[in-house]
Amino acid sequence: MNRLLLLLLFLAFSFTFLLAQSDDPLRTKANELARQFIITDGHVDLPYRLRVQNFRLEREYLGIPVETDKGDFDYVRAKAGGLDAPFMSIFIPASREDNGARALADSLIDMVVGITQAHPDKFALANSPAEVEANFKKGIISLPMGMENGSPIERKLENVQYWHDRGIRYITLTHSKDNHICDSSYDTTGTWNGLSPFGQQVVREMNRVGVMVDISHVSDSTFWQVMEMTDVPCIASHSSCRKFTPGFERNMNDDMIRRLADNNGVMQINFGSTFLDGNISKQMDEKRAELTRLLEEKGLSYDDEEAQPVIDKFQEDNEVLMADVKTVADHIDHVVSLVGVNHVGFGSDYDGVGDTLPTGLKDVSQYPNLIYELLQRGYSESDIEKICYKNVWRVWQAVEDAAE
């Protein structure tokens, strides 16, 4: 009887909660704003995910970007979440430095172009804010492109123009290792102590050609040197606040956020839980070390077929609680408290951070949850419009104007 009573109470509470949600005017307003405003996201790793899945532009594969239960992005979910202009990441692993980087980048760009050609009623390329706005009026999702890792420049300054001509509108100068342009936040080598001499030329050429400089992934010394020499605003396409992840150089500290704002730039918040909460990152590191020891005791490596059941069981028994949508809003709050609402946006890293996405932001259908959280915290519609796209538009247009 007690169990039945508890079940009935639980069902009554759930119904009341769902009814309250449906009647919540802020929830309704969040859904409306997600469709009223353009939503841009600085970093979605769809192209590389599809490449890993051996994507081919043949008939049986054309449905992959439209509707799928794989990954974090497809057309149906993007439409549900109000996402209008996800920057497709042309991701080049650090291992491709001097190892076919340009060919890989070309193939990923070809893939994005192919998606728009296969589904012209759903997707279109976009090389400027004006083109995104024109697509938005038609109800079409724009696929602007940014290159994650400048390795495909391949020590040839003229390649900056080449990539611009191919549709690249920002370049993340490096990724997880120092490259021929600059040092990485993940690398301890300090090859250049910031920008290489060639990297300095690359920054100037990006300014000249009209490609946004993305300082996500770079070392602190690289960041400060870029700020000193760039003539136009820069972006951090998918970075979060180091205040919440002490010692994690991949994120930006308060002085860097202030300097980026002085440059009139924008910081686009990464949704990965390890970027949002240092305690989660620590727990995951500890669990990873524990799993490694367990495999070693069994004489196994991660790549062994026999290891997979052990890995699955360990993960099932050692689940780490991820961040949630409120944590993402905390990072937005922190940027706003430091430099104001004009210098923050969304840079989810969807399809790039695996299963570490926060509760309430598990895929591209859930941007209204973040807008709802911001409304609850007192952000105005004008503030939210800036965060959704206008801040990024300001930088993108400034870079375009300077090049012209």
Side-chain angles (χ1 to χ4, degrees):
M1 179 65 72
N2 288 339
R3 287 184 179 179
L4 178 60
L5 181 60
L6 285 172
L7 177 61
L8 290 172
L9 287 172
F10 173 76
L11 291 173
F13 172 79
S14 299
F15 177 77
T16 304
F17 175 75
L18 291 172
L19 185 63
Q21 272 203 321
S22 64
D23 289 343
D24 187 338
L26 283 186
R27 179 71 65 180
T28 301
K29 175 61 71 175
N31 290 328
E32 290 173 352
L33 295 181
R35 283 148 185 79
Q36 178 182 336
F37 300 147
I38 293 171
I39 295 180
T40 190
D41 189 309
H43 197 88
V44 175
D45 272 303
L46 174 73
Y48 197 77
R49 170 170 73 81
L50 295 181
R51 179 182 174 84
V52 169
Q53 293 178 351
N54 298 315
F55 177 86
R56 297 194 304 272
L57 285 175
E58 296 176 5
R59 186 171 301 277
E60 64 268 30
Y61 288 90
L62 294 183
I64 289 178
V66 176
E67 186 172 13
T68 177
D69 59 359
K70 302 291 192 299
D72 311 322
F73 175 92
D74 60 43
Y75 176 81
V76 172
R77 286 180 287 175
K79 273 295 186 182
L83 178 60
D84 305 293
F87 273 81
M88 294 287 100
S89 172
I90 305 304
F91 167 58
I92 310 301
S95 60
R96 290 298 190 125
E97 176 85 350
D98 299 321
N99 183 28
R102 173 170 166 151
L104 175 57
D106 270 324
S107 72
L108 294 175
I109 292 171
D110 289 344
M111 180 189 296
V112 176
V113 172
I115 290 170
T116 65
Q117 292 172 341
H119 305 289
D121 59 326
K122 296 178 175 64
F123 298 109
L125 299 174
N127 293 321
S128 68
E131 290 184 11
V132 175
E133 291 167 13
N135 291 334
F136 177 69
K137 290 176 181 176
K138 298 175 187 175
I140 296 174
I141 294 176
S142 296
L143 299 181
M145 291 181 283
M147 180 180 288
E148 185 178 22
N149 187 359
S151 288
I153 293 173
E154 293 189 338
R155 296 179 172 81
K156 298 176 182 177
L157 205 58
E158 60 269 26
N159 276 338
V160 176
Q161 181 71 61
Y162 174 80
W163 294 121
H164 178 273
D165 293 345
R166 290 234 59 195
I168 295 298
R169 287 301 177 266
Y170 75 70
I171 296 177
T172 316
L173 299 179
T174 189
H175 190 246
S176 59
K177 295 289 184 183
D178 298 354
N179 65 8
H180 67 283
I181 297 170
C182 68
D183 296 341
S184 166
S185 61
Y186 285 122
D187 201 334
T188 58
T189 308
T191 303
W192 309 105
N193 192 30
L195 288 164
S196 71
F198 178 73
Q200 295 176 28
Q201 296 180 56
V202 168
V203 171
R204 294 189 186 97
E205 184 68 0
M206 289 171 68
N207 286 179
R208 187 191 71 80
V209 167
V211 177
M212 290 181 282
V213 178
D214 177 21
I215 52 76
S216 290
H217 278 287
V218 307
S219 67
D220 286 7
S221 54
T222 301
F223 167 83
W224 289 106
Q225 290 172 24
V226 169
M227 289 298 103
E228 286 302 311
M229 66 180 305
T230 182
D231 296 325
V232 292
C234 298
I235 61 168
S237 69
H238 58 305
S239 296
S240 298
C241 303
R242 202 178 299 176
K243 169 185 167 63
F244 302 97
T245 58
F248 185 39
E249 189 175 340
R250 171 65 180 80
N251 277 345
M252 297 179 67
N253 67 31
D254 289 0
D255 286 340
M256 296 165 76
I257 295 169
R258 292 188 186 98
R259 184 66 180 86
L260 185 68
D262 288 343
N263 171 254
N264 209 22
V266 178
M267 178 179 177
Q268 296 172 267
I269 301 300
N270 190 310
F271 294 176
S273 289
T274 57
F275 289 78
L276 299 171
D277 188 331
N279 291 324
I280 292 173
S281 182
K282 181 181 177 183
Q283 289 177 49
M284 292 183 73
D285 287 344
E286 291 171 349
K287 293 298 182 184
R288 191 177 297 108
E290 189 178 338
L291 175 58
T292 300
R293 288 194 297 272
L294 177 62
L295 291 173
E296 287 174 349
E297 289 171 3
K298 295 178 179 294
L300 298 171
S301 71
Y302 282 89
D303 296 330
D304 292 337
E305 186 176 343
E306 299 86 351
Q308 196 55 52
V310 178
I311 295 170
D312 292 343
K313 183 66 166 62
F314 182 87
Q315 291 175 339
E316 182 181 338
D317 296 340
N318 293 272
E319 185 177 359
V320 175
L321 188 64
M322 293 298 135
D324 61 22
V325 64
K326 294 181 183 295
T327 322
V328 177
D330 290 343
H331 282 252
I332 293 173
D333 278 350
H334 184 64
V335 176
V336 172
S337 71
L338 286 175
V339 296
V341 76
N342 294 327
H343 304 286
V344 67
F346 304 145
S348 64
D349 212 349
Y350 279 131
D351 278 330
V353 289
D355 57 1
T356 71
L357 288 162
T359 303
L361 287 170
K362 290 298 186 183
D363 62 36
V364 294
S365 70
Q366 297 191 313
Y367 293 96
N369 292 340
L370 182 50
I371 294 174
Y372 174 70
E373 181 64 29
L374 296 176
L375 287 170
Q376 285 190 310
R377 296 184 183 209
Y379 284 80
S380 68
E381 290 187 24
S382 175
D383 293 336
I384 291 169
E385 186 176 24
K386 290 177 180 180
I387 295 169
C388 283
Y389 80 102
K390 280 199 165 181
N391 291 339
V392 174
W393 258 225
R394 183 188 69 248
V395 175
W396 193 357
Q397 194 61 57
V399 172
E400 294 271 321
D401 291 346
E404 292 173 2

